[in-house]
């Protein structure tokens, strides 16, 4: 199975900050890397697919980059609604696996 | 707007069975691969199973293989997960999700249904 390792596991930041979350795969997954946002009591929401493609309706302050095994999610200027948990997920091969999550909290 | 609605969750004793359903609407269900995911309370996300648009290709996570069965009825726009021999560790919110055509990304999710396995 492909292991996905996210860092940090939690992060405190302020509105307006630039934030970066990293995700590392245990083997190359090409560009089969997606990012999700999840708020308490809600289903995950797709933000970024195929490393860097912005899902329809997602604000442009979200961006993704990387290739092979190392990937990043960047939020250019945090907004109050961005405080949530973020997960990376590989869709290169089954079992599809997720990172352990990064909880983004208000400083 | 695409809609997915899970049902069938509830409280069940260890060793028991439960069948989850996912009703799909506002898209051509028969064109899409579908998956089930789960999330234990306060924990991370876990992929459970997926099924091709025709139902001919199916994969399972090792944690549920031999106990869970995924199926679909394209005529009724419905996805199912039959869960047998349930264990305490199967307690979780279960989500169905659509796999976006060509991108392998899960673009729409249901709201989830809670399965609690407890004596």
């Amino acid at each position: 199975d492909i292991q996905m390792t996210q860092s940090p596991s939690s992060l405190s930041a302020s509105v307006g900050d630039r934030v970066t979350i990293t995700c590392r795969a245990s083997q190359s997954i090409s560009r089969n890397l997606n990012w999700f946002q999840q708020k308490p009591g809600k289903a995950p929401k797709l933000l970024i697919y195929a490393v860097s493609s912005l899902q329809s309706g997602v604000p442009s302050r979200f961006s993704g980059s990387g290739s092979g095994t190392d990937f990043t999610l960047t939020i250019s200027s945090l907004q109050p609604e961005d405080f949530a948990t973020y997960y990376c997920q590989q869709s290169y091969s089954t079992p599809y696996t997720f990172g352990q999550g990064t909880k983004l909290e208000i400083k | 707007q695409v809609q997915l609605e899970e049902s069938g969750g509830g409280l069940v004793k260890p060793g028991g069975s439960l069948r989850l359903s996912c009703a799909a609407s506002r898209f051509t269900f028969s064109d899409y691969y579908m998956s089930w995911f789960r999330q234990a309370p306060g924990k991370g996300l876990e992929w459970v199973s997926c099924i091709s648009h025709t139902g001919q290709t199916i994969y399972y996570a090792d944690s549920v293989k031999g106990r869970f069965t995924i199926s679909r009825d394209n005529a009724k726009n419905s996805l199912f997960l039959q869960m047998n021999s349930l264990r305490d560790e199967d307690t979780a919110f279960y989500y169905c999700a659509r796999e976006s055509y060509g991108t392998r990304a899960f673009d729409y999710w249901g709201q989830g249904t809670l399965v609690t396995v407890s004596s």
Side-chain angles (χ1 to χ4, degrees):
Chain A
D1 298 2
I2 299 173
Q3 307 304 316
M4 306 299 292
T5 304
Q6 266 180 256
S7 62
S9 55
S10 64
L11 177 58
S12 293
S14 301
V15 172
D17 284 354
R18 179 182 180 88
V19 165
T20 297
I21 299 169
T22 64
C23 181
R24 174 165 287 176
S26 59
Q27 65 183 74
S28 177
I29 56 171
S30 187
R31 293 187 62 80
N32 298 112
L33 189 283
N34 310 306
W35 289 97
F36 292 88
Q37 177 194 68
Q38 188 178 32
K39 296 182 178 180
K42 299 294 187 181
K45 173 186 175 183
L46 179 66
L47 297 176
I48 303 276
Y49 63 93
V51 178
S52 58
S53 295
L54 200 64
Q55 175 67 359
S56 177
V58 174
S60 59
R61 63 180 178 273
F62 292 91
S63 64
S65 63
S67 65
T69 60
D70 294 306
F71 305 91
T72 60
L73 172 70
T74 299
I75 310 172
S76 60
S77 178
L78 274 174
Q79 298 302 299
E81 61 267 29
D82 299 337
F83 292 94
T85 300
Y86 293 84
Y87 294 93
C88 61
Q89 177 251 331
Q90 64 84 14
S91 52
Y92 180 78
S93 64
T94 60
Y96 299 134
T97 45
F98 291 83
Q100 79 278 17
T102 295
K103 187 173 184 179
L104 181 52
E105 298 175 307
I106 300 173
K107 184 182 286 185
Chain B
Q1 177 74 322
V2 167
Q3 288 193 339
L4 297 169
E5 185 170 358
E6 302 93 342
S7 60
L11 175 63
V12 61
K13 289 182 168 54
S17 298
L18 214 53
R19 188 191 196 211
L20 304 184
S21 300
C22 171
S25 59
R26 302 184 184 179
F27 69 101
T28 305
F29 181 71
S30 58
D31 284 349
Y32 290 86
Y33 280 53
M34 299 291 296
S35 275
W36 287 98
F37 295 84
R38 67 184 181 182
Q39 185 173 36
K43 302 297 184 183
L45 294 160
E46 180 187 15
W47 171 81
V48 172
S49 181
C50 67
I51 186 168
S52 64
H53 56 299
T54 62
Q56 290 198 318
T57 300
I58 287 172
Y59 297 102
Y60 296 100
D62 285 347
S63 57
V64 306
K65 199 173 296 181
R67 301 187 299 122
F68 290 12
T69 302
I70 191 171
S71 62
R72 65 191 296 160
D73 184 339
N74 285 343
K76 295 184 177 180
N77 294 330
S78 294
L79 176 72
F80 305 101
L81 186 67
Q82 177 66 43
M83 305 185 295
N84 297 331
S85 303
L86 283 161
R87 305 168 179 166
D88 290 351
E89 55 265 34
D90 295 319
T91 294
F93 288 92
Y94 284 74
Y95 298 96
C96 61
R98 186 182 87 165
E99 183 176 325
S100 178
Y101 185 77
T103 69
R104 294 185 164 186
F106 298 98
D107 59 352
Y108 287 95
W109 295 60
Q111 83 289 350
T113 188
L114 178 61
V115 172
T116 303
V117 184
S118 174
S119 54

